[in-house]
Amino acid sequence: MDASKDSRTNEVRLVFDSLSENESFARMVIAAFIMDMDPTMDELADVKTAVSEAVTNCVIHGYNGGAGKIYMNCRREGDSVTVEIIDYGAGIEDIEKAMEPLYTTRPELERSGMGFAFMEAFMDSLSVESTPGKGTRIVMEKTLGREDAYTQAL
Ligand SMILES: Nc1ncnc2c1ncn2[C@@H]1O[C@H](COP(=O)(O)OP(=O)(O)OP(=O)(O)O)[C@@H](O)[C@H]1O
Ligand SMILES: [Mg+2]
């Protein structure tokens, strides 16, 4: 692989309305963003799912189905992709509890409480900052094509 390609940086910033149809839009954006990083099918699916879970949380919990703006910032540094997703909605009272698998504050909506668990499982790192009444910011990072890099290093 071309070494200059590996060290490339790129950034895309996006603002969209809090609408459920924009969940699939966000998935397509991140897929397009990482496409030239040569992700495996699994990596592509992982990143799309993580982004989709984060955006769904903004729509359902952050803005409670109402109006609001969602900010999605995508950054590539070499073979690492970082996605930041921000809402200025309800915020989270107890982040530690919210991140526990199967914990949901909306069981009546048939949420399973697995969104954060998926984000953690599918990405290399996840950080959540939130202030009740102000909003939530999540940042997640994943290094792509590691298997490939490992093989080449042998
Ligand atoms: N952007 C957000 N704004 C406010 N609260 C949030 C936000 N994201 C998550 N939460 C809170 O954290 C809890 C856990 O989120 P998580 O995504 O793990 O589960 P869920 O959304 O309830 O269910 P699922 O994702 O499985 O449909 C939510 O029930 C909600 O209380
Ligand atoms: Mg969720």
Side-chain angles (χ1 to χ4, degrees), residues 53-63 87 89-95 97-107 109-119 128 130 135-138:
E53 290 293 338
V55 171
T56 303
N57 280 353
C58 299
V59 173
I60 292 174
H61 306 295
Y63 295 118
D87 70 67
I92 302 174
E93 295 283 347
D94 185 339
I95 297 175
K97 206 168 186 183
M99 291 179 75
E100 281 172 16
L102 300 176
Y103 177 85
T104 180
T105 50
R106 305 302 298 270
L109 295 182
E110 295 184 8
R111 311 312 306 184
S112 54
M114 289 302 289
F116 280 134
F118 287 148
M119 288 179 241
V128 182
S130 189
T136 301
R137 169 178 179 259
I138 77 145

Side-chain angles (χ1 to χ4, degrees), residues 10-24:
N10 187 18
E11 191 166 35
V12 167
R13 289 172 173 256
L14 201 70
V15 187
F16 51 88
D17 281 323
S18 180
L19 297 169
S20 60
E21 56 259 46
N22 285 338
E23 291 160 20
S24 57

Side-chain angles (χ1 to χ4, degrees), residues 146-154:
R146 207 186 277 124
E147 232 172 87
D148 217 42
Y150 181 69
T151 314
Q152 283 182 9
L154 288 176

Side-chain angles (χ1 to χ4, degrees), residues 21-154:
E21 56 259 46
N22 285 338
E23 291 160 20
S24 57
F25 178 74
R27 287 169 65 93
M28 285 187 272
V29 167
I30 196 61
F33 184 76
I34 65 172
M35 206 44 90
D36 72 343
M37 296 172 76
D38 297 325
T40 64
M41 293 302 278
D42 283 348
E43 288 168 342
L44 184 61
D46 287 355
V47 175
K48 283 168 75 179
T49 302
V51 165
S52 168
E53 290 293 338
V55 171
T56 303
N57 280 353
C58 299
V59 173
I60 292 174
H61 306 295
Y63 295 118
N64 197 16
K69 299 284 183 199
I70 297 170
Y71 296 74
M72 175 170 158
N73 302 321
C74 314
R75 190 168 59 253
R76 172 191 180 172
E77 279 163 37
D79 54 8
S80 154
V81 62
T82 303
V83 190
E84 179 183 36
I85 294 173
I86 300 169
D87 70 67
Y88 293 98
I92 302 174
E93 295 283 347
D94 185 339
I95 297 175
E96 214 175 305
K97 206 168 186 183
M99 291 179 75
E100 281 172 16
L102 300 176
Y103 177 85
T104 180
T105 50
R106 305 302 298 270
E108 76 283 3
L109 295 182
E110 295 184 8
R111 311 312 306 184
S112 54
M114 289 302 289
F116 280 134
F118 287 148
M119 288 179 241
E120 264 188 319
F122 294 151
M123 301 295 284
D124 293 343
S125 70
L126 167 70
S127 93
V128 182
E129 292 166 19
S130 189
T131 308
K134 291 239 162 76
T136 301
R137 169 178 179 259
I138 77 145
V139 182
M140 42 195 182
E141 186 273 338
K142 189 177 180 73
T143 299
L144 307 181
R146 207 186 277 124
E147 232 172 87
D148 217 42
Y150 181 69
T151 314
Q152 283 182 9
L154 288 176

